[in-house]
Amino acid sequence: VSIRHILEIDDLTPDELRDVLARSADPQPAQVLRGLGMALVFAKPSARTRNSTEMAVVQLGGHPVAIRADEVGLDTREPAEDVARTLACYHALIGARVFAHEQLERMAAVSPVPVVNLLSDDAHPLQAVADLLTMQAATGGLEGRTVAYVGDGNNVLRSLALAGAMVGAEVRMACPPGFHLSSADLDRIAAVGGDTTVYDRPEDAVVGADVIYTDVWASMGQEAEAEARRRAFEGFTIDDRLIAKASPNAVFLHCLPAHRGEEVAASVVDGPQSRVWEQAENRMHAARAALWWLMDQAAGAGGGEVS
Ligand code: CP
Ligand code: NVA
């Protein structure tokens, strides 16, 4: 049996994703990491991901070790593959936040322990699990709920759209010209049964939606493009006018960090329909559930009794 990794959310089947969502609510998880560690390698800054994942490891009985990518020299001091092989000598799980997604793929290809994507330029799967948890709590379900994402066709949207599709939510995406997901992405979403619609105008995407979602216009690594992107994304700010077109009970989500006055108005992110702090908390419940699930798979794959 091969080791399971979570590099993108569709590395899980829809049933497995539902299993992870159900485990998130369990306040007494099995202590599957007792006496074990998780290495967390960061090539980019992080507030939520590092802290939520570290605390998730603690809640599973384990010990997290956060490492800056430049301290181990990921692909500079030694190949990412050798970093993964090394960390697997001491840790039961490896998480990494990287620029190029293929770095994670190379680590996973050689790692004898599960590798978890803590955000790459392409994907943010644990964020998507937290997003679903927050949607579920706010709207009472997932199947048939409508989420309208307005903004950049980036890592967060890619994972959100896949995850939404996997649980039967309707995902609408409004991005400026040149900033949509690719047709390969749309094919991948369709492959998991996705009900997605692509819009050019935010006004059209948000009508009657249960959830309005946005993310920064310039992601980590795109700082030099920030000014050009600000111009390209004019009219894509989530403000009270757009929120008013959604369902009256609609909630606003943002993976954070938020740039008030750019992708979202302060009155929205700090307003009564915002659920961004519940969403941030859910990062920890999502991480705990996903790591627990991965440890169970590793045990089933011949990793021995771990709980
Ligand atoms: N949402 C998120 O991943 O936040 P951080 O970049 O702070 O980890
Ligand atoms: N799209 C953003 C998400 C940050 C959590 C980025 O990659 O910087």
Side-chain angles (χ1 to χ4, degrees):
V1 188
S2 58
I3 301 275
R4 300 292 299 272
H5 307 282
I6 304 181
L7 304 191
E8 178 51 297
I9 198 64
D10 63 354
D11 286 341
L12 306 179
T13 66
D15 279 347
E16 289 170 344
L17 174 56
R18 277 186 278 269
D19 183 356
V20 169
L21 291 169
R23 287 173 188 237
S24 306
D26 192 331
Q28 290 190 305
Q31 297 296 288
V32 290
L33 285 175
R34 192 185 296 131
L36 301 173
M38 178 170 189
L40 303 165
V41 182
F42 285 90
K44 297 172 176 174
S46 170
R48 282 146 290 271
T49 305
R50 175 177 170 185
N51 285 279
S52 62
T53 312
E54 284 206 21
M55 291 315 297
V57 169
V58 168
Q59 290 167 3
L60 294 168
H63 179 79
V65 177
I67 306 155
R68 286 168 48 114
D70 61 0
E71 142 192 13
V72 284
L74 198 66
D75 275 334
T76 53
R77 186 167 181 257
E78 57 189 320
E81 288 91 335
D82 288 0
V83 172
R85 289 182 179 109
T86 301
L87 295 174
C89 295
Y90 322 117
H91 295 282
L93 295 165
I94 297 172
R97 167 168 284 197
V98 299
F99 289 90
H101 189 78
E102 57 90 27
Q103 236 170 7
L104 282 166
E105 291 173 339
R106 288 190 284 115
M107 291 169 82
V110 300
S111 175
V113 303
V115 175
V116 182
N117 181 1
L118 301 178
L119 181 146
S120 68
D121 287 348
D122 292 359
H124 201 2
L126 294 190
Q127 178 70 53
V129 176
D131 298 342
L132 293 185
L133 287 175
T134 317
M135 273 176 72
Q136 195 166 33
T139 69
L142 292 170
E143 201 171 350
R145 300 299 189 278
T146 305
V147 51
Y149 178 100
V150 173
D152 187 22
N154 62 14
N155 44 9
V156 166
L157 173 58
R158 195 171 286 110
S159 294
L160 173 71
L162 279 166
M166 288 166 70
V167 298
E170 180 194 343
V171 183
R172 304 177 187 166
M173 308 179 251
C175 311
F179 296 94
H180 287 280
L181 291 184
S182 69
S183 57
D185 291 325
L186 297 180
D187 289 347
R188 187 163 169 177
I189 296 162
V192 293
D195 180 13
T196 48
T197 329
V198 176
Y199 296 83
D200 292 320
R201 286 165 31 96
E203 292 78 6
D204 300 331
V206 299
V207 174
D210 300 304
V211 175
I212 309 291
Y213 198 123
T214 194
D215 182 17
V216 292
W217 291 339
S219 283
M220 291 181 277
Q222 299 174 329
E223 288 79 7
E225 298 169 30
E227 192 44 51
R229 282 173 169 263
R230 245 174 245 130
R231 283 192 296 274
F233 284 80
E234 220 169 285
F236 281 73
T237 302
I238 305 286
D239 54 15
D240 294 297
R241 181 187 60 93
L242 276 183
I243 291 283
K245 294 181 193 291
S247 155
N249 300 318
V251 293
F252 171 75
L253 301 186
H254 190 314
C255 58
L256 304 177
H259 295 148
R260 290 168 176 80
E262 289 193 22
E263 75 277 1
V264 62
S267 56
V268 172
V269 67
D270 300 321
Q273 284 164 278
S274 176
R275 295 291 178 275
V276 298
W277 302 114
E278 289 87 337
Q279 186 182 7
E281 178 180 333
N282 280 331
R283 291 296 310 277
M284 180 172 70
H285 306 307
R288 185 180 64 239
L291 303 183
W292 179 10
W293 182 85
L294 275 172
M295 289 306 291
D296 278 0
Q297 307 313 305
E305 184 56 51
V306 290
S307 59

